[in-house]
Amino acid sequence: MIRPVRLIAGAVLGTAMGAALAHERRMRRHAERFSAAALESLLRAIDANDAQTGAHVRRVATYALTLADACGVDPRMRRTIELGALFHDIGKIDEALFDLVHEPRSLTAAERRSIATHPARGADVLAPVANFYPHLTDAVLAHHERWDGSGYPRGLRKHSIPFAARVVALADTFDVITFGRRYRDGRAGTVACGIIASARGTQFDPDLTDLMLFPPVLASIMRSHRAFVRSGSRIPQRHMSVVEERSPNVRIRWRTRSSAPANIRVKLRESR
């Protein structure tokens, strides 16, 4: 009688463990969907607070994804770059910075120091979803770091700067130059390229800079730029929900597929 009892007990225990694992998977899936919905809400908060910033982050994401595709990054890194670009300026909607961001004049030194807190503020906003997007906060926190170590907030240099942040920094700079600020008109794409090239190896990763300025990659970025100019940089329409019923690997559905040419996908070698 002992053996059948043990078999029954083992079967019951196995069933219970299976049910517990299934419950854990369901709970994690729900949490992932909630995190994705939270990101969608945050993106809409950017739009609602400042439509100009909302349009800016989408342009930056478009350019950053073109560069990511040219690098041949894996899907996980590509997603980190996309989200890093979309949320790199979320710290600017903080109440403490809102008036400064909307100033129509150039800022004083003290005001610029306040604005320089926006990467850390943004990383704090995104901290609750860090379990599901573990590299997103680092990408947002580090997008104003510089290759030579003179950036902020941590003074990181070279490859200690997260890769996604290095990509976003280039795309962000291109957009800031070409679309300008409230107090400064945008400049031509050729001017932006010259400024970026002059900062190769000081502000920007030299390999990524070379790739961005590689004619086929740059041509793709410029096509996107011209499309934004023609559209008046309106915020693209998105589906109402980012939640997939069958997959927790949700995406924020505001953009079309990047058009980087397949023949220029180059694997960058990371220094160790």
Side-chain angles (χ1 to χ4, degrees):
M1 292 296 294
I2 294 178
R3 183 178 178 83
V5 169
R6 287 178 176 174
L7 289 174
I8 293 171
V12 171
L13 180 60
T15 300
M17 291 179 63
L21 289 173
H23 176 72
E24 183 179 348
R25 286 194 295 268
R26 285 195 299 271
M27 293 302 294
R28 181 169 181 83
R29 186 180 294 270
H30 290 324
E32 288 173 336
R33 289 172 175 166
F34 179 81
S35 295
L39 288 183
E40 174 71 7
S41 296
L42 288 173
L43 193 58
R44 295 186 183 197
I46 295 174
D47 297 341
N49 280 271
D50 186 354
Q52 185 173 341
T53 297
H56 162 68
V57 299
R58 288 172 173 77
R59 294 193 303 265
V60 171
T62 298
Y63 307 144
L65 283 173
T66 299
L67 187 53
D69 289 343
C71 293
V73 298
D74 61 57
R76 181 170 295 185
M77 176 56 70
R78 190 179 191 276
R79 183 185 176 111
T80 297
I81 290 169
E82 178 181 22
L83 294 179
L86 286 172
F87 293 103
H88 74 279
D89 273 349
I90 194 170
K92 288 184 177 180
I93 68 173
D94 188 292
E95 183 180 8
L97 304 181
F98 188 82
D99 289 342
L100 292 180
V101 171
H102 289 80
E103 276 289 346
R105 56 171 175 80
S106 57
L107 301 179
T108 67
E111 290 169 338
R112 287 196 296 272
R113 286 194 294 272
S114 295
I115 289 292
T117 64
H118 79 270
R121 293 177 188 272
D124 286 344
V125 169
L126 296 168
V129 299
N131 284 341
F132 301 104
Y133 306 98
H135 303 295
L136 175 56
T137 53
D138 283 340
V140 170
L141 183 62
H143 75 276
H144 278 295
E145 301 287 358
R146 294 171 59 104
W147 187 255
D148 62 5
S150 64
Y152 61 88
R154 293 177 290 175
L156 302 179
R157 64 191 302 270
K158 296 188 176 182
H159 291 96
S160 63
I161 304 170
F163 181 78
R166 285 180 263 149
V167 173
V168 171
L170 279 162
D172 184 32
T173 299
F174 179 84
D175 190 70
V176 167
I177 295 171
T178 55
F179 272 85
R181 297 292 196 189
R182 288 176 176 82
Y183 53 85
R184 185 180 68 234
D185 291 337
R187 305 171 75 179
T190 53
V191 173
C193 292
I195 293 172
I196 288 171
S198 69
R200 178 189 184 276
T202 53
Q203 183 174 354
F204 304 118
D205 180 329
D207 290 337
L208 280 175
T209 303
D210 290 344
L211 187 60
M212 182 176 184
L213 300 178
F214 184 51
V217 180
L218 183 58
S220 182
I221 290 173
M222 291 302 298
R223 281 195 299 273
S224 297
H225 171 67
R226 288 191 294 270
F228 282 124
V229 171
R230 287 194 300 271
S231 70
S233 198
R234 293 188 299 272
I235 295 174
Q237 293 296 314
R238 301 186 306 280
H239 291 290
M240 292 300 293
S241 174
V242 297
V243 178
E244 298 274 4
E245 286 300 319
R246 296 188 179 183
S247 172
N249 188 26
V250 296
R251 299 189 66 80
I252 294 174
R253 301 173 179 274
W254 58 268
R255 61 173 185 82
T256 58
R257 183 178 293 277
S258 174
S259 56
N263 64 336
I264 57 164
R265 291 176 184 169
V266 181
K267 267 289 187 184
L268 289 184
R269 179 177 59 82
E270 285 286 286
S271 299
R272 297 296 182 185

